[in-house]
Structures are given as C-alpha cells and as structure tokens.
Amino acid sequence: MQKRLISFLKDFLEISASIVLIFTLLTLALGEGAGSVSSLFRLGSAGIAVESLLQLFLLSFTFSLLKLIFLTDAIIKSLSAVLRYILCFGLITIFILTFAFCFKWIPNEAEYWLMFLACYVLSTAVSIMVSNLINKKEDKKLNDALKAIKENPTDGGK
C-alpha cells in the first residue's frame, strides 16, 4: 500500500511539474495577447494565476488517479491491458475537455477548438510512439538478460 501511495505521489508530482512547465513556457511565448483568449493566460506574460495553477493541479491529480485505477493492478485486475489503456485515455480526454469547457481554457469558437484538437492529437501520437519505443527497448533488455541466463545456467537450478 505504501509503495502504491509513493508511486501515486511521484506520478502526480511529475505530471504537475510537466504541466506547469509547459504552461509557463506557453505563457512566456504567447505573451499579453493570450490573456484575452484563455483564462489560463489571463495574467499575460506576467505569470500563471493561482486559480489556474489549482485547476492544473486538480487535472494532474485526476490523471494520476486514473493512471492508478486503470494502469496498475491496484484496483482493476480483470480487464485486458488494451481495454485499460482505452478506458484511461478516454476518461483523460473527457476530463481535459470538461476542464477546458468549465474553466474557459478554450474560447467557444471553432478555430480554437480545432487548434486544441490538432495539438492534442499530435502530442498524444508522439507520447504513444515514445512509450512504444521505451517499451520495446525494455523488452529487448529483458529478453537479452533471459537469453543470457538460459545460455549460462548456474548450479542453483540443478
């Protein structure tokens, strides 16, 4: 239980730090003009409002909780890995859209929602590709280690 709590807190802090860093860079890049478009940037290049930071932390907490529920064996044990990923990703998408709408992160104009959708799809595709490459690298490392063990058995197994 303590190990899962530490893992949850680690995920939450990593996600929170990543999101805050991304929005800090966006705040610097977009400057004053973005303040009139999105509540996230209402301070312009002066910084991120505490209210926006709390919203982003709540979103990070939600992501971490969904990851704990769907991507570990802590709660759901009977679903296939593919179904878990689909459910987790689907719910994350729903939460992002809900937060964006409720907190007025994106104006209710088609061009902004299309830009958001394009960025979201692109970042999701990149994340999936990077995760897949990491998993393949780890699988290769484990398979190589297993092959080495099989080729050089010790006396402990006899």
Side-chain angles (χ1 to χ4, degrees), residues 36-49:
S36 62
V37 176
S38 172
S39 68
L40 285 170
F41 305 107
R42 67 185 161 121
L43 298 180
S45 60
I48 302 173

Side-chain angles (χ1 to χ4, degrees), residues 39-107:
S39 68
L40 285 170
F41 305 107
R42 67 185 161 121
L43 298 180
S45 60
I48 302 173
V50 172
E51 178 181 301
S52 296
L53 285 173
L54 291 174
Q55 293 167 4
L56 294 172
F57 282 131
L58 180 59
L59 187 64
S60 301
F61 181 83
T62 304
F63 289 175
S64 301
L65 190 60
L66 290 172
K67 185 177 176 187
L68 175 72
I69 292 170
F70 290 104
L71 303 183
T72 68
D73 289 335
I75 297 173
I76 299 175
K77 298 176 184 180
S78 60
L79 294 179
S80 71
V82 172
L83 187 55
R84 285 181 188 206
Y85 276 101
I86 290 170
L87 288 171
C88 187
F89 177 73
L91 286 171
I92 284 173
T93 303
I94 289 169
F95 274 100
I96 289 173
L97 293 173
T98 303
F99 275 55
F101 182 77
C102 291
F103 297 129
K104 297 178 178 36
W105 291 351
I106 303 170

